[in-house]
Amino acid sequence: MLYPIVLTLHSWLRWIVLGLGLAAAVASARARARSGPYKHFHDRLGLFFVAALDLQITLGLVMYLWLSPMTHLAFQDPAGAMRSSALRFFLVEHAFSMVLALACAHVGRVRVRRSTSDADKHKRAAWGAGLAVVCLLVGIPWPFMPYARPLARLSVEQEAPRQALTGAALEETRKLYDLRCAPCHGVNGRGDGPAAVNLVPRPRDFGDPEWQTATKDESIERIVREGGRAVGKSMMMPSNTDLTDADVQALRAYVRRMAR
């Protein structure tokens, strides 16, 4: 699937962008402090930073507008998405921070070109790249954030799913559930999430004992991975093709824990 590929490229490219941005800002700041000339090296470093950031933003826009299940869900009910911290982050906060970073980088680049003295060029290059990096750092979904993608991949036993998740594995799965499922299904799985208000049909109540008994593990895992349309259910349920098998199994086990 295209989404996991683009997501992986987008995630890894951020380190290159951050590295180039920091290098450009530090190089110009140090050169200005020493009254050094604005060399071809400084100009190329700034250019590479802006080019890498442009590519990063382009990949982000492709996911934002077409590929991401998060924004796809948020666009269905923007008002409901605003009540979910995870959906609001990806729909508004993350996007705004990245666009602001892009603006800072390009404005800084233009101002450098218009400057006539080396000191001014270094000053504007350092400020442009530095502010862009700050915006990037603010807008990145870091692992310590509640809506970040878990760094660790979880291993879940197929048998005894209600006992499989404990300790750190349970906490990581809760974060993943809160990010991918809670906006519609609610934090307790009752189908009462903030984005569920205008959804027809209503999201599944995972606590329903009849549903828990009648539904096989394989069915839960498939709908998590492929979305509602793939199994003849609501097309409002997005796919999660970027998740690993361990992630999907962990979410299935977490859903099983919600049985009343």
Side-chain angles (χ1 to χ4, degrees):
M1 299 294 290
L2 186 58
Y3 176 60
I5 297 174
V6 176
L7 178 62
T8 300
L9 291 174
H10 184 69
S11 296
W12 281 104
L13 184 58
R14 65 177 167 178
W15 302 114
I16 298 176
V17 173
L18 286 172
L20 288 172
L22 285 171
V26 171
S28 284
R30 292 182 63 183
R32 183 173 185 270
R34 299 172 180 176
S35 300
Y38 188 81
K39 299 179 180 179
H40 180 74
F41 164 76
H42 299 103
D43 184 69
R44 294 298 92 180
L45 196 56
L47 176 62
F48 292 153
F49 167 57
V50 171
L53 182 57
D54 285 346
L55 178 58
Q56 173 79 344
I57 297 299
T58 299
L59 293 175
L61 282 174
V62 169
M63 291 191 294
Y64 186 86
L65 296 176
W66 293 290
L67 300 180
S68 173
M70 296 295 296
T71 52
H72 173 76
L73 175 61
F75 287 147
Q76 303 299 324
D77 181 17
M82 291 300 100
R83 294 191 291 271
S84 167
S85 61
L87 290 181
R88 184 176 63 249
F89 175 80
F90 286 104
L91 186 66
V92 178
E93 297 164 14
H94 177 67
F96 178 77
S97 297
M98 297 302 109
V99 171
L100 190 59
L102 186 68
C104 290
H106 276 275
V107 169
R109 183 74 180 160
V110 170
R111 288 175 64 84
V112 167
R113 292 177 181 175
R114 293 178 178 177
S115 299
T116 57
S117 69
D118 287 342
D120 279 346
K121 288 183 178 181
H122 281 308
K123 177 182 178 180
R124 292 171 179 180
W127 273 105
L131 288 175
V133 168
V134 170
C135 293
L136 290 171
L137 292 174
V138 170
I140 289 175
W142 297 105
F144 57 82
M145 292 180 170
Y147 30 74
R149 302 180 186 279
L151 290 181
R153 295 307 185 184
L154 309 176
S155 177
V156 182
E157 297 293 337
Q158 184 72 16
E159 295 77 24
R162 291 175 65 87
Q163 289 76 37
L165 293 176
T166 58
L170 177 60
E171 178 61 20
E172 289 297 327
T173 305
R174 182 192 65 76
K175 292 179 180 179
L176 185 59
Y177 175 88
D178 287 348
L179 175 63
R180 300 298 181 97
C181 312
C184 289
H185 291 280
V187 293
N188 296 314
R190 299 299 180 252
D192 56 355
V197 178
N198 298 319
L199 295 183
V200 179
R202 298 280 293 183
R204 170 68 61 188
D205 177 359
F206 294 140
D208 182 357
E210 293 185 6
W211 177 83
Q212 286 277 0
T213 301
T215 306
K216 297 181 179 180
D217 287 349
E218 294 79 5
S219 178
I220 297 175
E221 292 177 11
R222 186 182 178 193
I223 196 171
V224 168
R225 182 181 292 106
E226 301 178 18
R229 179 182 295 179
V231 294
K233 302 295 183 180
S234 173
M235 62 181 296
M236 302 296 287
M237 165 68 187
S239 61
N240 294 279
T241 54
D242 60 308
L243 297 181
T244 66
D245 289 343
D247 290 330
V248 173
Q249 292 168 12
L251 285 173
R252 181 263 303 159
Y254 193 81
V255 167
R256 288 300 193 193
R257 295 172 62 91
M258 295 177 175
R260 289 194 289 267

